[in-house]
Amino acid sequence: MYPTTLTQIARANPFSAPLFTLQKVEEPLQSHKGQRSRRLAAAATVDEGDSCEFGSQKYFILCGFGGILSCGTTHTAVVPLDLVKCRMQVNPDKYKSIGNGFAVTVREDGVRGLAKGWAPTFIGYSMQGLCKFGFYEVFKILYSDLLGEENTYLWRTSLYLAASASAEFFADIALAPMEAAKVRIQTQPGYANTLRECAPKMYAEEGLWAFYKGVAPLWMRQIPYTMMKFACFERTVEMLYKYVVPKPRSECTKPEQLVVTFTAGYIAGVFCAIVSHPADSVVSVLNKEKGSTAMQVLKRLGPKGVWKGLIARIIMIGTLTALQWFIYDSVKVYFRLPRPPPPEMPESLKKKLGLTE
């Protein structure tokens, strides 16, 4: 049996590695109500009721499709709020608050002006969602297989952080061109009203660099955001089922499970908005101006300037993240994709820690 102190560390601290080395022990698979138990690693067979194998090519493709629906539709739905938020960031003297921002925009551009930038938003965030959710599932299984079953459980929060960061790196490369066009349309009145007008104009002025000069600030904004989004969501779901939901997940109906998904998504979204907002302010200003660098914009905004528009972003990102997880999980339910329950400590690890007879 391992010392009590080490047992407590392994139980209580999800962010740090165990301070001891665990040797692999072959254990027979334990059945639960006649079904094979799932963990973070890919299952070898298709469980009854599932349309495909966990970790199969079909599984990844449909997860990517779920990402397109969840990100593309939700970001497009909140374009008016995003437009006002961006304008508050780049011109705080004119757009003093959320309400004032909406009023000024409607007065100058009409109600249709609130929809500016919807096309690059839909295209860009659909591509981002494809990479974000699709690659997250890929990297989560890849890193889990590298760690092994026991270390996957002990290091699960670090695994969520690493998998989401890896996925977002590629997702931002797909998003950058459309994000640059969106910000130009929304924050520079008279520059362009549509993507068809904006893209050729940007290319003529600055070349291909115009579409990718914001990718580094995007990584600064989106990678911490996505790491928080996925890790916080995964652990919140785990905590909700453990401490709040009065019955096991297996006994919850699909609608009840989706309510838990939405709740965990909103909680994760609030934290996402806070950690990513300074970089979001830099991206908004950088894409508006020609010839500026991220460091120049950061210095000019200062400690107070980078937090302009935070309340609008919390409302937007909280709602957005909750809806994204709800839609993504609904797609999994609709296509009958495997949906593993919150991870449980493997039996072999329980024996090593002296938690079972």
Side-chain angles (χ1 to χ4, degrees):
M1 183 185 297
Y2 291 93
T4 304
T5 303
L6 295 178
T7 304
Q8 292 171 346
I9 290 173
R11 287 175 175 173
N13 191 348
F15 291 96
S16 63
L19 301 181
F20 46 86
T21 301
L22 295 170
Q23 301 299 320
K24 184 176 180 181
V25 175
E26 296 296 330
E27 294 286 342
L29 292 172
Q30 301 294 322
S31 63
H32 177 65
K33 295 186 178 180
Q35 292 190 1
R36 186 182 187 275
S37 62
R38 288 201 201 98
R39 297 183 181 89
L40 292 177
T45 58
V46 180
D47 282 2
E48 185 179 352
D50 292 341
S51 65
C52 63
E53 186 178 311
F54 182 58
S56 65
Q57 185 177 19
K58 180 181 178 181
Y59 176 80
F60 292 136
I61 290 172
L62 289 176
C63 284
F65 176 69
I68 290 174
L69 288 182
S70 66
C71 291
T73 57
T74 52
H75 277 276
T76 305
V78 296
V79 160
L81 184 60
D82 184 46
L83 180 143
V84 171
K85 182 266 301 179
C86 287
R87 290 184 173 182
M88 288 171 62
Q89 289 172 329
V90 301
N91 195 350
D93 294 330
K94 183 176 181 179
Y95 303 95
K96 297 178 173 60
S97 65
I98 299 174
N100 174 258
F102 274 104
V104 172
T105 301
V106 171
R107 185 169 63 248
E108 293 183 348
D109 303 326
V111 176
R112 291 185 65 181
L114 293 172
K116 277 189 173 182
W118 74 267
T121 297
F122 179 73
I123 297 169
Y125 283 94
S126 292
M127 294 302 97
Q128 189 213 34
L130 169 68
C131 298
K132 185 198 299 266
F133 283 93
F135 286 161
Y136 174 70
E137 299 287 353
V138 171
F139 284 117
K140 187 167 71 167
I141 291 174
L142 174 65
Y143 296 157
S144 176
D145 288 343
L146 291 174
L147 287 171
E149 185 181 53
E150 293 175 350
N151 283 328
T152 287
Y153 177 80
L154 291 170
W155 292 63
R156 62 192 182 282
T157 302
S158 299
L159 184 147
Y160 302 144
L161 292 169
S164 57
S166 301
E168 189 60 36
F169 177 85
F170 296 101
D172 289 341
I173 295 173
L175 169 64
M178 293 296 104
E179 178 73 2
K182 173 188 80 78
V183 173
R184 286 287 180 96
I185 293 170
Q186 291 181 338
T187 62
Q188 287 189 267
Y191 184 83
N193 290 320
T194 66
L195 178 60
R196 283 179 296 178
E197 292 177 31
C198 185
K201 197 171 181 179
M202 289 175 64
Y203 185 78
E205 291 175 350
E206 300 180 69
L208 198 61
W209 175 243
F211 299 100
Y212 287 99
K213 70 177 184 178
V215 73
L218 262 182
W219 283 328
M220 290 166 53
R221 180 187 82 183
Q222 290 296 131
I223 290 179
Y225 162 86
T226 302
M227 291 170 72
M228 181 66 72
K229 174 179 179 174
F230 282 86
C232 185
F233 172 80
E234 298 269 19
R235 293 311 301 261
T236 301
V237 167
E238 192 176 328
M239 296 299 177
L240 287 175
Y241 278 114
K242 189 173 183 179
Y243 299 110
V244 178
V245 180
K247 54 186 176 182
R249 180 182 181 272
S250 58
E251 296 177 12
C252 294
T253 63
K254 291 292 191 296
E256 288 172 340
Q257 292 177 13
L258 291 174
V259 169
V260 173
T261 296
F262 184 87
T263 304
Y266 209 102
I267 293 170
V270 173
F271 289 101
C272 288
I274 294 170
V275 301
S276 63
H277 190 74
D280 182 65
S281 297
V282 173
V283 170
S284 295
V285 176
L286 187 66
N287 282 323
K288 177 193 174 187
E289 300 178 351
K290 299 176 187 175
S292 296
T293 66
M295 289 306 298
Q296 289 171 343
V297 171
L298 189 59
K299 289 177 182 177
R300 190 164 69 252
L301 288 174
K304 289 182 67 176
V306 295
W307 295 106
K308 289 284 185 180
L310 177 62
I311 300 302
R313 184 166 166 78
I314 285 177
I315 296 169
M316 184 183 81
I317 295 299
T319 306
L320 210 124
T321 305
L323 287 173
Q324 284 177 0
W325 278 114
F326 183 83
I327 293 169
Y328 181 65
D329 213 21
S330 296
V331 169
K332 283 188 168 184
V333 170
Y334 179 80
F335 286 109
R336 296 185 293 110
L337 298 183
R339 297 167 62 242
E344 296 179 359
M345 183 179 289
E347 290 299 321
S348 59
L349 183 58
K350 288 180 181 179
K351 288 183 179 180
K352 290 180 179 182
L353 296 177
L355 302 178
T356 58
E357 294 297 330

